[in-house]
Amino acid sequence: MKARLEASVPVTRRFLTTRPFRTAAGAAGIGLALMLMLLLAGLWVGVQDRVTTYDDHLGADLVVVPAGTRNLFADPGALPAPAVDAIAQAPGVTRAAPLRTMYQILELSHGKAAVAAVAYEPGSGLGGPWAFTDGRAPEAPDEVAIDALWAEQHDFAIGDRLPILGHPMRVVGLTDDTALFMTPLLFTTTAGMDQMLRATGTTGAVLVTTADPDAVAAQLRDEGYTVRTPAELREASLRLATDIYGSPVRLMVGVAFAAGTLIVALVAYTRVTEQQRDLGILKALGATPGRLRRIAVTETVALTVLGTLAAIVLLIITREVLAWWRPAFPVLLTPGTIAQTAAAAVTMALLAAWLPARRLNRLDAASAFRSGR
């Protein structure tokens, strides 16, 4: 009879629905905390993804760079132009193309703007733009392709003239998803960049394709060249980004996780503590301590699930607003980030529910009626 009564009374559901405003407020509090944790963690993942955008789309198996170069943009150097032909003739090399990369500050009519300039060899299929929203890739020395979002922000369109190093370059293409973190990529030809820099006898790097990267890399190193793989350049970009942005961003992520888990714990602890009188009455009616703990934990899990659903909705809204307001700040979520956030929230919520429930083991059931709590 007792077991049947316990099974027939949905105590947890009653607790959640009796005070719907408090339930909604608790779920919203948990949802905001989880959203903050996911948002900042996703921002750091997005930063790491952006800083390697160009390294991920080189199209080359190897990159020959000046000695000491680890990052294509942060360590600009020069190789003699004849090195391109010498590398192209090395055994095992199928293609070799010059490349020049650098950060530049453009003088626009409404102010200054920073870009990451890329000068590549048209027709080589290496180092150039990989996606367009409109137009085409540069082919002539006075042509340039710019990131579509950056073009929209600065009011540039196909056919407009963009001043680069004092030269009016004609915009022939709007590229898609071609921006580093807070710095758009700008593409032009090696001939055009060489003329602007008056450096026709040099190149910044040489992109190489081959069927045997290990053997060709070893051979080129034996000939005195410095050779990097795209993976090595990617790792260097990540290390550079970590050195620049890592400490403040990871600090914010850590603070968000700490604050978020504490908020979840506080909401769960407050919820169970407020219901101590109701749980005391159940104890007076014969509920076992184990039964009370199960009620407290089940209610907290249900509240956390509602909070998680709220967090998903809030995160979707926040990502859309951020993408519209500040497209340079991408928010990417990985399964690892989601799992870490969920584990932290569930652990703190269960612990926060378990502690006040354990106090009921020492609670005199009659005191629940006398206290009026």
Side-chain angles (χ1 to χ4, degrees), residues 170-203:
R170 186 164 59 92
V171 177
V172 297
L174 301 179
T175 57
D176 184 31
D177 195 27
T178 52
L180 308 181
F181 179 57
M182 297 194 299
T183 310
L185 289 169
L186 178 152
F187 296 89
T188 188
T189 64
T190 52
M193 184 63 74
D194 289 348
Q195 291 176 14
M196 287 186 284
L197 295 175
R198 298 180 181 177
T200 55
T202 64
T203 187

Side-chain angles (χ1 to χ4, degrees), residues 301-315:
V301 170
L303 200 61
T304 303
V305 170
L306 292 175
T308 301
L309 296 177
I312 293 173
V313 174
L314 290 171
L315 183 62

Side-chain angles (χ1 to χ4, degrees), residues 6 48 64 69 103 213 223 261:
E6 286 185 352
Q48 293 176 304
V64 179
T69 298
Y103 289 115
E223 295 177 8
T261 51

Side-chain angles (χ1 to χ4, degrees), residues 15-100:
F15 280 170
L16 291 172
T17 57
T18 300
R19 301 181 180 91
F21 179 79
R22 290 189 179 183
T23 299
I30 293 176
L32 283 171
L34 294 178
M35 188 273 289
L36 178 63
M37 296 162 67
L38 288 170
L39 182 65
L40 289 179
L43 176 61
W44 177 230
V45 174
V47 169
Q48 293 176 304
D49 179 74
R50 281 296 185 188
V51 298
T52 63
T53 296
Y54 188 64
D55 300 321
D56 294 334
H57 293 87
L58 284 172
D61 300 302
L62 300 171
V63 183
V64 179
V65 297
T69 298
R70 296 188 179 277
N71 180 276
L72 290 176
F73 292 96
D75 303 316
L79 292 171
V84 179
D85 293 333
I87 293 171
Q89 295 172 7
V93 173
T94 55
R95 277 183 297 169
L99 177 74
R100 197 186 294 273

